[in-house]
Amino acid sequence: MGKFVITKDSKGEFRFKLNAGNGETILVSEGYTTKANCENGIESVRTNSQHDERFEKKTSTNGKHYFNLKATNGQVIGNSEMYESAASRDGGIASVKNNAPSATIDDKTV
């Protein structure tokens, strides 16, 4: 089962990452000024991850593959790690789609 992990960075911003059942990080968020906004971001991932058109498949300048998950307004709500191949990136997308809806939340800020 997947897990969202909420942390607070050195700037005081809240961030989350989505880990697959094996503990591998499959999606990370941008920084949020409040925990409530971070939690809203998690709910947005749960919803938007179920729509293929919200995943933006990209290739970096060094040839590695990654993806962004976007909300309905086009704002990026999470991005992936870099993958060696497009097939691996697509596997990462499938993992987000499978894990996000039922992932638990582990709040490391309390």
Side-chain angles (χ1 to χ4, degrees):
M1 177 186 287
K3 180 179 4 177
F4 286 100
V5 179
I6 299 174
T7 58
K8 197 170 185 180
D9 66 19
S10 59
K11 296 181 200 171
E13 292 184 323
F14 294 89
R15 298 177 180 273
F16 66 82
K17 61 182 179 178
L18 174 60
N19 293 340
N22 64 2
E24 182 179 340
T25 299
I26 50 178
L27 191 75
V28 296
S29 75
E30 302 297 320
Y32 294 91
T33 55
T34 67
K35 188 189 292 190
N37 287 344
C38 185
E39 291 167 340
N40 288 340
I42 289 171
E43 291 310 311
S44 185
V45 169
R46 290 187 197 278
T47 302
N48 289 291
S49 65
Q50 301 310 294
H51 301 278
D52 290 335
E53 67 275 11
R54 306 276 163 74
F55 288 93
E56 179 182 39
K57 298 178 181 182
K58 313 261 299 177
T59 304
S60 68
T61 55
N62 66 0
K64 299 214 179 207
H65 302 271
Y66 67 103
F67 63 87
N68 294 324
L69 176 60
K70 292 186 168 187
T72 53
N73 65 4
Q75 181 178 350
V76 174
I77 50 178
N79 48 48
S80 73
E81 65 179 351
M82 294 291 180
Y83 295 95
E84 293 297 324
S85 69
S88 295
R89 176 200 56 212
D90 293 347
I93 290 171
S95 186
V96 170
K97 291 174 75 170
N98 289 334
N99 283 283
S102 60
T104 59
I105 296 177
D106 182 6
D107 187 348
K108 300 288 190 186
T109 67
V110 291

